[in-house]
Each structure stands twice: as C-alpha cells, then as structure tokens.
C-alpha cells in the first residue's frame, strides 16, 4: 500500500477513474444566447427516443454546477453575453463547450445585427463546432462523440 | 396571511425552458402574489436588419425569427410582398404553402405537448410525443430537404413540388399520427394524476381573454372563436376551410384539448388538400424592386395570429417591416394568471401559452390614450439608458 501511494500510482488511478466517469456520463447543460430556436429543438430531438443520446450516458441538467459540457446555440446578443460568461464560469473544471449551429459558429444570418455581439467563441472558448442551420441531430451526436473521442485520447479537442 | 414576501428570480438560463427569459415571482409561502417578466435576451434586431438586406435575402432572415414556426413567418412575408407587387402566386403554390404550414402546425403542437408534459413531470408523455413527432419531421424533410427552416417559400411561389413518393409518406404518416393523437387526447382528459395539474388551473374567462388580447389556441381554449384561417383566409384556406376548435372551460386542460383537437382538424385538412391539389406552375415572375406602398399581412401561426406590416419605398430593400408575434400578445396573460397559484404551477402556466421567446423579444409600449406617438431614435436611446440604470 505504501509503495502504491508513494509512486503516485494512486493519483494516476484516480485520474483514470475520473476519465472513465467523464467519458461514460458527460452531463450537459444547454444555453440559448439568442438563437432562433431551430437549433434548440434539434438538440432536444437528440435527447428523445428516436436519436437518444442518453445511451452515451449524456443527460441534460438544469444547473451549470452539475454539468461538464455546455452546449451553446445562437449568436450572442448583448443582453445574453454576461449571462453566458457567468454560466461558463459557474461550471466546474474541466469544462467543455460545443457550439451548435451556424449562428453559434459565425453569427450566421444575424451577423451584423445591432444587438448581436458575435459568435460564441467571441465570448467563451469553444471546443467543438457543429455547423448547419440547424445541424441535423446526427451531426450534433457526431459533435458529442468527437468530443468524447478526443477526451479519451487525453487531449483537448 | 403573513406580511413577509419573498422574491424568486428565475432565469434567464433555467431548467424548465429551452429559451432565455427572466421571471420575477413574489411569493407568500407557496402562493404567488405577483409576477413580472423580463424579456429581451434573444433580441437580435431583425426588424432593423431587414432594412439593409434586399427583398430576397430578407425572406431567409425573417424565416429565422423563429425556428419552430419558420414557414409561417416566410408565408406572411411572401403574401405581403406579393400583395405590394401586385403578383399572386399560382394556386398550386398556394396549396403547397398551406400544406407545409399545416405540417408545421403538427410538429409544433406535438413539440408543445411534449414540453408541457415534461413541465408537469410526465416525462413518459414527453418522450412518446417527441418520438411521434419524428414522423412529421421525416415528412418535412422528404418534402423540403430540411427538418427545420425548410425555406419552402419563394417570393411569388414555392420551391418544392409534391410528388407521389412524398404523398405516400405523408398519408401513411397522418394515419399513424391520427391514432396517436386520439390516444393523447384520452390521456390528457382521462389521466387522474395529470388532470390534477391541469384541471381548473390557470382559469381564463373569455372576457379576460378578450381584455388581455390573447390569440391562437390559448384564446380558443377560453371560448374566443378567432382563427385567421377562417376569419380572413389567406393563401389557399378559402378553398380548404377548417373547423375552428373552441373549448369554453378556459383552464390548462382546455388548452391541451384545443391543441390536440386542432391536430385532428389539421390531418383532415391535409387529406382534403392532397386529394384536390390543383395542377399548374409553382411560381410566377417577381420584380426585383417592389412598388412603393405599405400593407399588412396576417396569418395564423401555430401559436396564434402573426402580423406583418411591410412598407416599401420602391427600392430593392424594404423601408420598414414590423412583426407582431403571438407569444408577445399572450405573454401578458401569464403574469396576470399567475397570481393566486401555487409556485409549482408556474412552469405549467407558462408553457400553457406555448411561449416562444425568440420571436417575442422586442420593445413594446402599451398606449391607452388613443393618440398616436412617434418614438425618435434619441428618445429610444434615452429610454434605454434610463431603464438600464433603473435595473442596475
Ligand atoms: S443556426 Fe439556424 S437554426 Fe440555428 S439558431 Fe441560427 S438561424 Fe436558427
């Protein structure tokens, strides 16, 4: 037991357990910072029986403090900017962000509107980008799987 | 009753809704004594943006006001612009517009049913209704190539035709959905536990409904017989009449029943429409510049009356477009009805109007004097500064 602790194998094992847990049950939270709803209903569709991402252990949570992954939709409006930042800061580390939809990637059709600050990555760092207007549920699932795959290799995407 | 009051802020990110909105509830114990709502998190400034894009680009921008009722926004816009230009889309195009609009209504109502059931804690119904909703999403995808934001409309017509393959998908899909809808109707009017969350909750009399200016299924559940599809038929609704579904009880249960019965009406309408789909072209020529003038265009969105004001000064860009969406007119009813209810009923009450924030976030003022008033840019700015200062 002593050597186990001394050689740091204990902390290694703990890391592995954490990674295992993270890969098998990434809890997500969803924030809409000014989207048209299209992306949001597709995200919801991925959670329901037909596409069912819950089979990957993914669960939608209500509170940022429970979540590992933040799924963002829509361009960031002036009003929502601080909220988005605050939600991101409330999430425990390590945290990951998936931006869903053309608007979240670039501002999309709303680029240049007076109340739009810009895409998500103008406000918080983004790990995975899922393009489309709105992306199909398959594309959203693929985005999540990519995130998980990268995590498994131990790298940030 | 104790004097002590407690204020509960909810939102803008909250577990219950998928969209940002902020509510402040004052409670005394478990009972709500006051409610106010703060909107604007999804305000993007679309009405201003349309003025710097041309008529065709605006079609795609306006479609993205709301992803759930995208087609109906585009339809309202197209009908208005066509009226200004003195062009009418061919009958087949008009019929296809109606077809897509009704398919959209199916998807929207089923979506709402699921979300509302979820608020009641009835997740099984949520999952089932969303599973069934995929049927109509599949139809929409086969028909238009996209699941959401179908962009079926063009100025002067539509992009897609209905071929026999799609026709079969639609018809078999409708049969399946019809049996499911009957099943859901049984559940919402028969499940004892569910009824405890809906029956007698959020009562709104027809006088209240008139006074608060609610529209759509919410108003029809309170006995107000109002439906633009019947009162002022647009596109092809004069050829395919629809029965208005009205309930008189005015509680949450009635709002469920009205929406589900509307689905049955919609299935019927689609079948008649597909039976007698007029032959002919899908589009007509549309000028690039639209003659100067102004017009209004009203359509029945899944959530109620959608209103467009369109003004052209003869150029290739609109001079002004004003949109009034149904959620905004329904929103006032929530803050009124909330008073006196249990805190736990709030999510249900809110979803009862089928809120959609993305289309509703705008500045509105209510005027009671009857005189007209113009807000200048400077006045708006000052108002904005003052209101932000007040909120701190
Ligand atoms: S990407 Fe498209 S569907 Fe998604 S929020 Fe933007 S406009 Fe709506």
């Amino acid at each position: 037991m002593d050597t186990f602790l001394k050689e740091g194998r204990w902390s290694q094992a703990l890391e592995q357990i954490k990674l295992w847990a993270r890969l098998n049950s990434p809890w997500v939270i969803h924030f809409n910072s000014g989207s048209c709803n299209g992306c949001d209903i597709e995200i919801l569709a991925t959670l329901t029986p037909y596409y069912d991402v819950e089979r990957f252990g993914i669960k939608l949570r209500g509170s940022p403090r429970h979540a590992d992954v933040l799924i963002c939709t829509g361009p960031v409006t002036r009003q929502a900017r601080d909220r988005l930042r605050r939600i991101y800061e409330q999430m425990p580390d390590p945290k990951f962000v998936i931006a869903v939809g053309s608007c979240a990637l670039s501002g999309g059709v709303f680029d240049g509107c007076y109340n739009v600050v810009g895409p998500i990555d103008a406000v918080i760092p983004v790990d995975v980008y899922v393009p489309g207007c709105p992306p199909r549920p398959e594309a959203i699932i693929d985005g999540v799987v990519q995130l998980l795959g990268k995590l498994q290799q131990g790298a940030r995407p | 009753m104790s004097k002590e009051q407690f204020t509960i802020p909810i939102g803008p990110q909250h577990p219950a809704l998928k969209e940002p909105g902020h509510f402040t509830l004052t409670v005394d114990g478990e009972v709500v004594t006051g409610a106010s709502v703060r909107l604007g998190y999804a305000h993007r400034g679309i009405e201003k943006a349309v003025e710097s894009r041309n008529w065709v680009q605006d079609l795609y921008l306006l479609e993205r006001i709301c992803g759930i009722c995208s087609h109906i926004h585009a339809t309202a816009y197209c009908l208005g612009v066509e009226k200004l230009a003195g062009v009418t889309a061919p009958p087949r195009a008009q019929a296809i517009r109606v077809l897509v609009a009704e398919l959209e209504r199916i998807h929207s109502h089923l979506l709402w049913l699921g979300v509302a059931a979820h608020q009641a804690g009835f997740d099984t119904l949520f999952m089932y209704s969303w599973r069934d909703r995929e049927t109509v999403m599949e139809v929409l995808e086969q028909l238009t190539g996209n699941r959401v934001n179908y962009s079926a409309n063009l100025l002067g017509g539509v992009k897609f035709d209905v071929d026999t393959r799609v026709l079969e998908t639609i018809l078999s899909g409708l049969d399946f959905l019809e049996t499911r809808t009957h099943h859901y109707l049984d559940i919402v009017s028969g499940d004892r536990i569910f009824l405890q969350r809906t029956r007698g909750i959020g009562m709104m009399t027809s006088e209240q409904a008139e006074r608060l200016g609610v529209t759509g299924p919410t108003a029809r559940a309170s006995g107000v017989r109002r439906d633009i599809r019947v009162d002022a038929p647009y596109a092809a609704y004069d050829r395919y009449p629809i029965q208005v579904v009205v309930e008189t009880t005015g509680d949450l249960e009635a709002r469920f029943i009205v929406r589900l019965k509307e689905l049955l009406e919609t299935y019927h309408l689609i079948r008649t429409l597909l039976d007698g789909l007029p032959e002919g072209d899908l589009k007509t020529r549309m000028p690039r510049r639209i003659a100067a003038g102004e017009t209004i265009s009203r359509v029945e969105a899944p959530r109620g009356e959608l209103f467009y004001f369109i003004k052209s000064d003869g150029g290739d860009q609109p001079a002004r477009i004003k949109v009034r969406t149904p959620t905004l007119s329904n929103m006032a009813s929530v803050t009124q009805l909330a008073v006196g209810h249990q805190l736990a009923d709030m999510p249900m009450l809110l979803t009862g109007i089928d809120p959609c924030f993305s289309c509703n976030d705008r500045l509105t003022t209510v005027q009671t004097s009857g005189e007209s008033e113009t807000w200048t840019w400077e006045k708006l700015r000052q108002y904005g500064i003052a209101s932000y200062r007040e909120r701190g």
Side-chain angles (χ1 to χ4, degrees), chain A residues 35-39 74 101-103 109-110 132-134, chain B residues 64 149:
Chain A
S35 98
C36 80
N37 248 337
C39 286
S102 312
C103 293
V109 278
F110 305 119
C133 180
Chain B
R64 282 158 180 77
N149 295 340

Side-chain angles (χ1 to χ4, degrees), chain B residues 60-107:
Chain B
Y60 300 98
L61 181 58
L62 290 167
E63 199 170 40
R64 282 158 180 77
I65 287 182
C66 174
I68 300 180
C69 28
S70 58
H71 174 77
I72 203 78
H73 275 276
T75 310
Y77 172 72
C78 286
L79 289 171
V81 176
E82 283 160 15
K83 209 191 301 175
L84 274 182
V87 171
T88 32
R92 190 171 174 93
Q94 300 281 28
I96 291 177
R97 279 179 184 169
V98 169
L99 171 69
V100 180
E102 292 301 319
L103 288 172
E104 182 175 75
R105 194 179 315 275
I106 300 176
H107 116 71

